[in-house]
Amino acid sequence: MAGAPPAPQTLPLAPGLYLVSTPIGAARDITLRALDVLASADVLAAEDTRTLRHLMEIHGIAVGDRPLIACHDHNEAQVSPRIVKAIAEGKSVAYASEAGTPMVSDPGFPLARAVIAEGLPVTAAPGPSAAICALTLAGLPTDRFLFAGFAPTQKSARRSFLQELAPIPATLVLYESPKRINQLLEECCETLGEGRKIALCRELTKRFEEVLRGTVAEVRQAICGRDMKGEIVLVIGRGEKVVSDAATVEAALEKALEEMTVKDAAAAVAEAFGLPRREVYQLALQRGKG
Ligand code: SAM
């Protein structure tokens, strides 16, 4: 029989760091155990204390007189010792990043590493992550996947990043800002080919959730002229074996040489086409001189 979910329980928690995953959109996607941990921990720590306070309010959990420590990219090294000390003194500490799973393109790693280094317990209240949510919706193989995080913002670094990913025989999962998604798709077209299958997953679990599936060319066409907003995960299907006819390799090399040194261009193209580096380097030397 359906009814209200059980109220969060305040339980005695063993000392340790509890990495708590929080919703990526719908507040009710939090797990019952995550709520119990948030209700029970001696100390709360968060990437954004206001976001955590708000989430706890929604679920009727008071912070009360418990410490609520800000722990984000800019201060994690400084506050980690304080949290480690609290755990060593027998306290339970719940840590949440702004959304989703801590450490997945989010803070938490230096903290977890510091706790582990002291031989203290680290555990998780697992839950949502945009990467896994997108992967389940993309309609692409999930037997082997690689999470690549955010692409670099600088153009030549992005190109090398994509060239490095292109030949990997796995589904690729990338985070991207709506401001750069058009640019990323354009570069995917150049690096991965316009026929590569992708899924653009936007605003997952939120009101305007949208999943666009198709080839790079089809998805580019679908968003052409649109002012993209919201949060985006790009899932890229595994590449077919690259057809490396001489003209294609030479064209890729020429493009790479416009932005890279001969050595870097050769390495990137060799990687992208699965060719021996030395061979491509010789070709690049000839081109570089020409
Ligand atoms: N830790 C989070 C996780 O486990 O997914 C990711 C944090 S990272 C700073 C934020 C990025 O995750 C966004 O720029 C977007 O690429 C992706 N993201 C987060 N929520 C999303 C959502 N509801 N729909 C689509 N992408 C999302």
Side-chain angles (χ1 to χ4, degrees), residues 19 72 121 176 220 252 280:
L19 297 162
H72 44 69
E176 190 50 285
R220 275 186 83 191
V280 184

Side-chain angles (χ1 to χ4, degrees), residues 21-26 47 73 97-107 127-134 147 149-150 174-178 201-206 209-210 230-234:
S21 297
T22 58
I24 56 166
E47 178 185 8
D73 279 338
S97 59
E98 185 165 356
T101 298
M103 283 187 262
V104 178
S105 290
D106 257 350
S129 182
I132 299 296
C133 184
F147 174 66
F150 285 96
L174 274 68
Y175 286 167
E176 190 50 285
S177 121
C201 308
R202 197 175 69 83
E203 292 288 88
L204 299 174
T205 77
K206 303 186 204 176
E209 175 173 301
E210 178 179 39
E231 300 194 277
I232 295 173
V233 182
L234 186 68

Side-chain angles (χ1 to χ4, degrees), residues 168-238:
I168 294 175
T171 295
L172 309 169
V173 183
L174 274 68
Y175 286 167
E176 190 50 285
S177 121
K179 281 190 224 124
R180 283 189 292 270
I181 190 65
N182 279 301
Q183 183 66 32
L184 179 68
L185 291 184
E186 190 185 319
E187 285 158 5
C188 281
C189 225
E190 288 165 14
T191 321
L192 313 175
E194 60 175 22
R196 186 99 162 223
K197 289 207 175 109
I198 60 170
L200 191 158
C201 308
R202 197 175 69 83
E203 292 288 88
L204 299 174
T205 77
K206 303 186 204 176
R207 182 156 169 228
F208 296 108
E209 175 173 301
E210 178 179 39
V211 180
L212 298 169
R213 305 177 185 90
T215 62
V216 178
E218 286 164 350
V219 174
R220 275 186 83 191
Q221 178 64 34
I223 65 165
C224 182
R226 272 180 62 179
D227 179 18
M228 295 299 278
K229 292 204 165 70
E231 300 194 277
I232 295 173
V233 182
L234 186 68
V235 185
I236 301 172
R238 185 175 312 184

